[in-house]
Structure formats: structure tokens, C-alpha cells
Amino acid sequence: MHRAQHSGAQKLNVSMADIIYLGTPITFDPFVVEFFLALQNGATLLTSRHSMRDSPSKVLSALFPDNLATPGITILQMTPSLFRQFGASSIRERVLSRSSSLRVLLLGGEPFPSNVELVTWMSPSVLLQKHICNIYGITEISCWSLLHIVQSLQSPVPLGTPIDKDTVIRIESQNDETSQQGELFLGSSSRRCYIPEVDDQTKASRDDSGICFRATGDLVTRQQDGTLFYSERSNDVVKRAGNRISLGLITRKIQKCLPSTELTTCLWLEDLQKLICCIRSLESKTRVEQRVQTFDILSKVSIAEQPDRFVYLQHFPCNVHGKLDKQQLLKMCIPLAQPAQQILKSYLHDRLECVEEPDDNLAKRQRLEDAAPCGYDLSFRHAGGTSFHAITICREIGLQMCIDDEQRHLFEMLLDENIPLRTVLRFLDTAKLVANNIKRKNVEPAVVASSCQGGLVIKRIEQPVLKLQLYWKVNFEKCIDSPVAEYEGRFICVGAHSKILRTLNPQTGSEYSTVKLPDRIECRVTFLSEQLAMVGCYDGCLYGFNPQTGDIVFRVGIGGMIKSQPMLTADGRRIIVCSYADDYNVYCLSAERQEVLWCQRIGEKPIFASPLELPREQSLIICTLDGSYSRVAITDGSVEWTQKYREPVFSTPVLLESMSNIFLSAEVAGRVHACHVGNGKILATFTTEGNIFSSLVVKTPPTFMGHSFAVFGCIDQHVYCLRCKAGSGGKSVDFELHWKVNVGAPVYATPTLLTVQPNGLLVWCAATDGRVMLMNFRNGEIQWSDKLPGQVFSSACFIEDLRRVFVGCRDNFLYCLGI
């Protein structure tokens, strides 16, 4: 027997008086430990027939007999999954009772049970009588390596400490640097197992001291006192709709939502890209009880972590080694092929608000009475659906669709708040579908496709020309969706959903001031001077504050949420505020005293886009969420003309050139329009393949012979660059696609143009899945790409002198990236 196992036997006081259950299959390496532990210490081995092991009640009776004359075992080694099959009541009353014969319980091979589960198995006094141990190791280091004897039922259970002095621990992060978090490597100079495919190819796993390190495949965290805690398997991280999610982390989050008698595990169904949550409940639940628990779980995990399907079982299968058999469990959970309509209906019922098919006569009566829509008269959004839900549904239904464009059309219909679910179901009824789910899922390409004038050009991302590194990040406690603002390269200011508004040093990230407003902030800050800035808030007020001290200078009630950036007119005399107010959605204030000079109502709905000032005309262009757009006089608020698009406008309008008579704006439906300043009439239109929430950024480089270029993002996962040429007299415009680049995820944030020498003009882009990249302005070629830990809806700002980009993220942090 190896010295490590001997050391373990000494720690557990193994002697001739012990009876050890030899219950591990001979193909599983703990079998050798049990066998030689008894031989070396003269203990007794209790064996059983293989068929008997399939009956937990029979095994329990054999190990802890009712007949007091027959001795029970004293040492038991098992996986947690196999041990659980005894049942919590039997464990508490028979296995871990104070009067049971068991002296040592070794649980290993899987994550150790939680404290919540341990409490259901034993009383705290049991720990004074028995050794309850977390045992950890790998075959490549001859099984046992680490041991921890549980001291408390209230504290998390660590992996333990090395059993012998020859065992060495090393943690390696993904960038091969020593870290407190990363993959655990176990090493030893004496405990080596020969692995031909590794040892015959390289000696990299052995260091200068002769210690041979082996990868465990387990991710761990080491605290400051050196204590090791298991996190998850390194291969338990999967990519879901552009988000990297940890199955182990999601499992732990869901486990906290369950009663102590229930157990859960999360599985990834690769073919359908589905996240399945399996819940083991010893008592059967009604459909209503399952739905209540499901919605409770969904409310406590992020959208990217929400399972697509919940499966309730009364038993989790184990493999021959006693571990949870995930392959068998997955087979039990794979959903049967369903018609496309049924997939959508099931999803609506199980995942969102209960949307049942209403009675036709009732539906007609409701429409006649102009009642609030319900059931399938709701849009997918109004039924509680999000873009992430839509992606999940479209992926599964898309496997049945013969035409890829129909999958894209389905996605757009789900996100359109004006399209009821009844219409979506009718579309699925007419869509061309295959008989079975035989289409293979799309594989993410290793190249980025960009469409240019001459056709489709495939550009492979080679070694990046540019590199951005993280300089600092600051925690705002909740999502940062607001665009980031800067003042003369001296201040950075941004607000968050946490109601926190911070002004920071752009070089160090250190704080100048913090303001806590009454509600969340999605509005961009406008600086009036180094000692005065203003920002709109969800509470319906405009706040003026000193960015250096955080003091509130003024507060003006506007009457509705302010998401649009407040504007200081070119003459510095007026402040224009657009909002979600019901009465007047445009206010003009005196910049000096913040008195209301005039107020106006444009259109029938709120205003999201910021206003565009026309300094020569002393006018504003204002676009609303009902598609109305108007030219309004700055002096008195009079409306000079009004036009209307078919769809809402989220995108801030922009002049084609600084002195131009043409402005550009975008409908959310994906249409970019060039309009005349004098009357608002549409001169030209360019249509994309998805909705546009991004604002447009216009650039007129001197080397492009008078052409202007408009750059914007789209939820069809592309960044577009349009070439725009105005005719003589500014009465006509030609739109031409200069380039578009697929960035792999929808783009809501407005791109940022930045000049970096010697590379020239670049386009910064951020996608909703956290991808951030720099593109060549001339051709769209990606120069650099990386990914932030959360979704990005925040528009970035760039300080050229510092060569730094500042962007907010939905992981609650503001990031500073330097070129």
C-alpha cells in the first residue's frame, strides 16, 4: 500500500477492529484503496454480490443489520450519489445515528453534499463521534490525495489538505499564470501513474524537482488561508446564445431555491442547444406546484442561465461507479419531437406567463369592447418574452425550417410588440417545415464574413494588429446601460441601474464623486462645465450636479422617465429635455436658472432619441416612439413641420454633414432615411435585415471625395457602413452599402469612431453578448476582438490623448481598455 494511503489510514485510526465495506466495482480505483486499507491494517472486508448492490434497502440491511448480534460496518466509502440512494430518513436514523456502528464515512468522486443536505442527514453531535470526510483525488496520482474531516454543519466543506507530504498542489489559470482561481493540478515525485499518450509525447508535466503534475479537470478557488474549495468541472462551461455559462454554477444557484429534500443538476443538450434542469423530488408534484417552483427559480437566475426545460424525477440514475449517470439522465430528458406550433405554445406555458388559447367568442367580444389584450392576442414581448427567449425558441423551431430566412422572420415577429402571438402561430402553420428535426444546428464559423460591393468576402481573423488591455474596472453594483460621457479628457461620468452616478479619473479609475439618485439611470450625462453636469433619471427629474463633489445643484421635475440625453444648445442659453411624460414630452429650460421657457407635445408617445440641433435654423429635430418627427423652433417651441414614419424611432438623428440640409434617422424596423431639413420629406431609404436601436454616427473623411459615411449597429448581428452622397442643392441623396460585418450577436450600442495612430480611423463596436471589437473604418476588417463577462448595451466613449476606451457592461462594471 502506498505511503499516502498509509497516512490516510493513520489519520482515520484504521485498525484490526474495523469492518470495511468493499462496495466499489473493481474497475473503479477506490476499490484498490478499500482492499489494501483492510489488508495493511488487518481489518475485515465485507463484500456483497453485484446484483445486491442494485437494491439500496438490501445493502443498508447488510451494512447495518437489525440483529444486534451481527456487527455492522465501521468504514464506508461511497460517492454522494450512491449514498443518497439510502434516503435521508434512513441515513439519519440508521447510518449516521449516534448508535450506529459506522465510525468513518468517506464521500468522494463527486462534489461534496451541501450544508443544507448534511443537516438533513445528521445532528451536529454526530461530528463528535464519527469522521465525516470529503476525500479527493485522481487515478493519475494513485487515488486519494486530499482529505478533510468535517468539523461543522454550518461551514462550507473544502477539498482538504494533502494526505502525505509528497503531494503538491498547483493552481493554473487559463493564461498559465499562478492564480488563486483556476484548474487544480496535483503533483508528486513518488506517486506517478504511467499515461502513454501523455508521458510518451512530452515531459512538460514534470518540473525541475522531478515532481510530475497531473491536471484534474477541476476548477477550484484558494482562499487567503490556503483553504481549497471546489468550483466546477472545467468542461462544464458551455456557450449558449453567445453567453458562456457554467452548468455547475447554475446548478448551485437552483439548489439554493429547493427544499433540503430535493436535488438538482443541469444538463446541456448540444444538438438542440438546450439547457435542461433536472429536479429530483421524492414526492410527486402537481403541475401547479411544478410551475410555482419553476417561476421561483427563473426569478433568481439571470436570463442567460434560465433553463429551457424543467424535468421532475423521483430518481437520479447512477453509473457502475456510483456516480450520477448524466448520459442516462440526458436520455430520459430529451424532449420528443414536437410540431413548431406546439414548441412555441409549450414554451409560453412553461416559461412565461400562462398563455392559454382563449375562447374565440370571448376573444371577439374583447376586441369589440376594446379590452386589454390577453392570451394569444398579446405580443411575445408583452407575454414576458425577451430577445434571449426568442433566440432559444428560434433555434429549436429553426431545426424544422427548410428556409433559413423564415427562422430570421420568426425572430423578428417575436420581438415586434405590434405582432400578436396569434399571428406568429399562423405563420408557423404556413412555414415550410421538415417532417422531423433533421437539420443540424448552425456551427459558429471561425471566420467573419463581411459583405462589400463586389459580393461576399471572407476575412479570417489573424493575429490582431491592435491589442487592448484592461487598465481598470469599477463596480456599480447593477447593470450599466447608460452611454459613457467624458469632459475634456479629465472626467469620466456614467450612471447605472443601481441609481449610482459616478465621476471617475479616466487614468486611474479613482473616484471624484458618487451621487445616489432616487431611481435608475440610463441617460447619458451632459457636461455644462467642469463644475456642473446634468443627467436625467427614471424618477422623472433632471438633476444638475457638481461632478467634482457630487453635490446636487438643481432638480427639475419633468413628469416622466428621462432616457434621452439632455441637450445644451449651441449658444449655451437653453437646456432641451425629452422624456416619457404623458403631457409634455419636450421641455426647454433656462440654462442659467433652470426655469421652464416652454414645453411641447410631439407625437402621441414618449421620446427615447436625443434631439438634433440645427444651429443655423435655431431649430431642433425631434423623433418619437410613435414614428413622428418634427422640426421645432428653439426660441418658443413652435412646430415648424411634422412628418411620420411607420415605426418608432429609438435612434438619435444626425446631420449628414455639419452644414448640410439633410439629416439621417432610423426607424426601429430597420430602415435608414435621409430627410430634408426644410420639410422633413424622405429623400432616400436604406433597408437592413433587422431592427435598429443604435444611433447613427456620421463621418466625412477628406480623402473620400465628398462622400459621407454613416455607421450603425443592428440586431441582425451586423455593423453597417453606408456611403452617402448628396446631390447638388441638397435635394437628393444616394445610399450605397460600403461594408457590413457580422459580429456574431445583436448590436444595440452606438458604435464609436476613434483615431489611433498609425492605424488611422477605427470603429469601436460592442455586441449584446459582450463581444467588443475594433474595425478598420475603410473596409470593416476586424483589427482586434475580445469579450467582456456580461452583455453590453452601453455606448462607449474614447479619449484620444489617453488612447483609452470606456464602456459599461451588464456584469455591473465600467471598463477602461487601453490601446
Side-chain angles (χ1 to χ4, degrees), residues 473-724:
K473 63 178 183 177
V474 174
N475 190 349
F476 277 64
E477 301 176 12
K478 284 189 178 180
C479 299
I480 305 173
D481 284 353
S482 307
V484 185
E486 61 92 16
Y487 179 74
E488 296 182 352
R490 298 160 57 192
F491 305 137
I492 290 294
C493 194
V494 70
H497 286 198
S498 60
K499 311 173 188 177
I500 292 174
L501 178 70
R502 283 200 174 105
T503 304
L504 306 171
N505 183 316
Q507 297 196 46
T508 64
S510 58
E511 184 177 294
Y512 285 118
S513 69
T514 293
V515 182
K516 191 70 177 285
L517 296 185
D519 209 337
R520 70 183 186 182
I521 308 160
E522 284 187 6
C523 167
R524 183 173 182 170
V525 171
T526 298
F527 283 91
L528 286 76
S529 69
E530 64 177 354
Q531 295 183 340
L532 182 61
M534 56 185 176
V535 69
C537 181
Y538 260 54
D539 71 342
C541 294
L542 177 73
Y543 291 87
F545 65 99
N546 186 325
Q548 298 190 56
T549 64
D551 295 330
I552 300 293
V553 179
F554 65 78
R555 172 183 173 276
V556 180
I558 300 299
M561 291 186 298
I562 303 173
K563 297 187 181 183
S564 165
Q565 181 183 9
M567 185 186 77
L568 180 67
T569 56
D571 60 11
R573 297 169 56 190
R574 295 175 176 86
I575 296 170
I576 308 297
V577 188
C578 298
S579 75
Y580 275 53
D582 291 327
D583 46 3
Y584 300 106
N585 53 11
V586 184
Y587 271 72
C588 178
L589 310 175
S590 155
E592 183 178 0
R593 299 190 180 185
Q594 296 81 51
E595 297 172 340
V596 178
L597 301 178
W598 55 261
C599 48
Q600 183 61 268
R601 175 77 184 180
I602 304 296
E604 299 299 324
K605 288 192 176 180
I607 298 175
F608 181 92
S610 299
L612 166 66
E613 184 179 10
L614 308 173
R616 288 190 306 171
E617 289 80 8
Q618 282 286 289
S619 299
L620 307 165
I621 301 293
I622 296 174
C623 303
T624 76
L625 292 184
D626 72 347
S628 299
Y629 59 105
S630 303
R631 177 169 149 176
V632 178
I634 291 178
T635 52
D636 60 6
S638 58
V639 177
E640 298 172 348
W641 53 252
T642 295
Q643 302 285 354
K644 190 171 184 180
Y645 300 135
R646 286 178 288 172
E647 301 289 344
V649 178
F650 288 82
S651 176
T652 296
V654 61
L655 283 172
L656 185 59
E657 298 176 27
S658 60
M659 303 298 289
S660 173
N661 290 323
I662 297 168
F663 70 93
L664 306 182
S665 63
E667 289 180 80
V668 74
R671 292 180 289 271
V672 177
H673 302 289
C675 302
H676 196 278
V677 165
N679 53 27
K681 291 186 177 179
I682 297 175
L683 304 176
T685 298
F686 180 87
T687 303
T688 67
E689 297 180 354
N691 293 341
I692 300 175
F693 293 93
S694 159
S695 294
L696 298 102
V697 182
V698 170
K699 184 73 173 179
T700 308
T703 56
F704 280 79
M705 302 177 62
H707 285 87
S708 296
F709 295 83
V711 181
F712 59 95
C714 182
I715 72 163
D716 67 2
Q717 304 189 0
H718 287 81
V719 174
Y720 288 78
C721 180
L722 304 183
R723 183 194 292 259
C724 315

Side-chain angles (χ1 to χ4, degrees), residues 766-791:
T768 55
D769 68 346
R771 299 182 211 205
V772 289
M773 57 198 70
L774 286 174
M775 306 171 186
N776 188 319
F777 178 84
R778 299 180 70 91
N779 56 22
E781 184 175 353
I782 295 178
Q783 304 285 298
W784 170 88
S785 178
D786 205 343
K787 193 169 185 182
L788 296 180
Q791 296 177 312

Side-chain angles (χ1 to χ4, degrees), residues 275 300 345 359:
L275 178 63
K300 293 176 181 174
K345 288 180 179 179
D359 178 76

Side-chain angles (χ1 to χ4, degrees), residues 43-65:
T44 302
L45 270 178
L46 175 65
T47 63
S48 62
R49 294 189 305 275
H50 179 73
S51 58
M52 180 180 171
R53 295 171 187 165
D54 295 332
S55 173
S57 59
K58 289 182 179 179
V59 172
L60 189 64
S61 297
L63 302 187
F64 304 97

Side-chain angles (χ1 to χ4, degrees), residues 159-170:
L159 286 182
T161 55
I163 294 175
D164 71 321
K165 62 181 180 180
D166 289 345
T167 302
V168 181
I169 292 171
R170 187 169 74 194

